[in-house]
Amino acid sequence: MADHTLTLALDLLRRGQFAHARAILEDCPASPRAEILLAHALAGCNRVQEAARLLCRQAVANPGARHPAYDMLALLLPHDRVDEAEAVLRAIRQRARQDIRTHDMLGELLLQRGRAAEAQAVLAEGLGLSPAQLSTGNLMAVTLMEQGEFAAARDLLHYILKHHPDSAMTQANLAHLLGAWNRLDEALQAHSRALALRPDDARLRMNHALTLLKSGSMAEGWAEYEWRRRMPGRQRLPEQTMLPVLPPDADLRGRSILITREGGLGDMLMMLRFVPVLAGMGAQVSIQAPETLHGLIRRMGGVRRVFSEQVSLPPHDWHCPFLSLPHVLRDTPGHAGADVPYLRPDPELVRQWAPFLPTGADLRMGLVWGGASRPDVPAAHAMDRRRSIPLRKFAPLAGMPGINLVSLQKGVYARQMHDMPAGMRLYDPMESVRDMDDTAALIAGLDVVVSVDTSVAHLAGAMGCPVILLDRFDNCWRWLSGRTDSPWYPTLRIIRQIHAGKWDDVVHRLCSMLARRDLPPARARTATRLPDDGIG
């Protein structure tokens, strides 16, 4: 009976019904498991000190085990009980400051919340207890990197490796740090050391692939990136029907290929260039994609069907996730994909949206200053903080003559228009925008799109429209390293941070380009040229 009660209570906790779970657990016979679950329920009810007392008692009873508060975080954070979780962790740390696990947990949560300076102070106290502690040192290195202190983070990881030379995690973190720092040769060496320790770790192999791609080693990078499909939850369809690497003379007439959704909107917009290649080989192509992309995909031609994830999969001979297309096409004449533009707006939508655009200036500029924040995904949330620019940083645009600014911003960052820089006038048609098809129609009426690293930059680039990408220092692999142009989009130019987290110089260079009207060429139709041996 007790086991049944505990199972019921755990189910309630997972569903966020903390008060109900507490009521059940308070009458449950005493046991370590019941006490831990009760602590979790108390935390969800904001009974901070009671939860901390119980969790500390269980942690003392099991000093070598995983701290029970980690499971509390797994239960509270999905239900937006972040403040309660932080309060309990602070109370636990206050009660047990000699337990280094308490510093790790609080430091990691603060880092996830974007409070890197606070996390650094907490983790420094932990390292004071044990300077070469593996988990604490790695967390501190990530915290330093988040603040742009790459050299200090590298030195710390080297110190940790002196004491833990067989730590694949530390070598992998060092590789990630060096890759973000654009020291790619050193990063690849660190990846090799990590993989020598754990050669079959799919996550390590995937991160290695991204560094290869960023360095321009496309064929090797895309082959290595196939390891991602071995990660839990990635491979949903049978391996035996996965589209193989195609030979140069592949004939796909009469064969049906299903392209499955993968990655973000930007990834899929970038990979759609390969759909005409498959169709040109005679394949009957069906595409699984978010509804916001359906209109754009239908106009590509060669697509038999486009559908969302809520719809049953159609019959097919082969399937292929979006981000495997460069790999399977690597040996074919179409390995670089279709020429830009390969996406086109709906002419009728262009006419409908034209009245929403300003007139009277010689330059109409679309602006995107923020991405998708995704606070429920810590790594994505941290990346978004680094790539997004506060609207107030664009104050110098307010005084530039001959430019009409048009917002292409959606989501939480659009709220910053309520407090715009003095003198800035920003036309905002986005409230009525339903999907990427509407956005494409708006872009078609602009002279240039200025965007941080978001799907809008990919959309404008795929349409062959002039794009200026404002890029963070630790840039994504898609934009390679040390380049101001893009092999994917010939109409895109990059202005990248010189110092991590510093946007003033980026905006200054943008204003200089706009003042000179030094814009990328419009609607180029030449074949995309890529580094190394092409995309795949």
Side-chain angles (χ1 to χ4, degrees), residues 56 67 89 92-94 96-107 122:
C56 284
H67 199 289
L89 291 183
I92 290 172
R93 180 167 171 259
Q94 193 65 36
R97 296 188 91 93
Q98 296 304 307
D99 186 343
I100 200 167
R101 296 174 296 175
T102 68
H103 305 289
D104 286 0
M105 290 186 296
L106 179 58
V122 169

Side-chain angles (χ1 to χ4, degrees), residues 3 10 13 100 108 124 145 151 238 303 326 341 373 422 437 467 510 520 523:
D3 287 344
L10 180 58
L13 290 171
I100 200 167
E108 187 172 7
M145 187 180 75
V303 178
S373 59
D437 226 4
V467 190
L510 168 66
R523 294 171 175 79

Side-chain angles (χ1 to χ4, degrees), residues 405-472:
L405 302 177
V406 179
S407 171
L408 298 176
Q409 183 67 54
K410 295 281 277 186
V412 295
Y413 289 98
R415 299 172 191 166
Q416 296 178 8
M417 285 186 288
H418 296 308
D419 187 25
M420 283 195 293
M424 177 178 283
R425 186 177 184 187
L426 190 58
Y427 293 85
D428 181 24
M430 297 302 288
E431 185 177 354
S432 301
V433 165
R434 301 162 300 175
D435 54 23
M436 281 296 215
D437 226 4
D438 285 336
T439 304
L442 283 170
I443 290 172
L446 301 173
D447 299 296
V448 64
V449 171
V450 174
S451 177
V452 296
D453 184 3
T454 70
S455 57
V456 173
H458 288 277
L459 175 59
M463 292 170 59
C465 296
V467 190
I468 301 174
L469 178 72
L470 309 181
D471 204 12
R472 67 186 195 270

Side-chain angles (χ1 to χ4, degrees), residues 31-73:
S31 71
R33 186 182 177 212
E35 187 164 286
I36 290 173
L37 292 179
L38 177 58
H40 298 162
L42 290 166
C45 296
N46 205 25
R47 304 274 286 269
V48 173
Q49 294 300 330
E50 295 170 78
R53 179 178 60 82
L54 296 180
L55 289 170
C56 284
R57 186 159 70 188
Q58 289 300 320
V60 169
N62 299 279
R66 173 185 168 91
H67 199 289
Y70 278 113
D71 292 328
M72 175 199 74
L73 295 174

Side-chain angles (χ1 to χ4, degrees), residues 135-214:
S135 59
T136 316
N138 276 272
L139 280 169
M140 177 63 94
V142 174
T143 302
L144 292 169
M145 187 180 75
E146 179 77 10
Q147 297 174 93
E149 298 181 31
F150 290 91
R154 175 201 57 194
D155 294 345
L156 175 56
L157 289 174
H158 280 310
Y159 176 78
I160 297 296
L161 284 167
K162 286 181 181 178
H163 293 81
H164 304 277
D166 294 331
S167 171
M169 172 185 68
T170 307
Q171 290 287 6
N173 282 337
L174 178 61
H176 175 70
L177 162 75
L178 292 166
W181 203 2
N182 287 300
R183 300 192 173 196
L184 299 182
D185 289 340
E186 296 175 65
L188 290 170
Q189 292 170 13
H191 278 301
S192 295
R193 294 191 293 269
L195 290 173
L197 294 164
R198 294 213 308 246
D200 296 324
D201 188 313
R203 184 172 294 278
L204 296 187
R205 299 296 293 257
M206 186 180 76
N207 290 335
H208 178 222
L210 297 181
T211 303
L212 287 167
L213 292 171
K214 187 173 182 177

Side-chain angles (χ1 to χ4, degrees), residues 28 83 215 309 324 364 383 418 473 488:
C28 189
D83 291 338
S215 71
E309 284 185 300
S324 288
R364 291 194 287 199
M383 181 274 292
H418 296 308
F473 177 84
W488 303 100

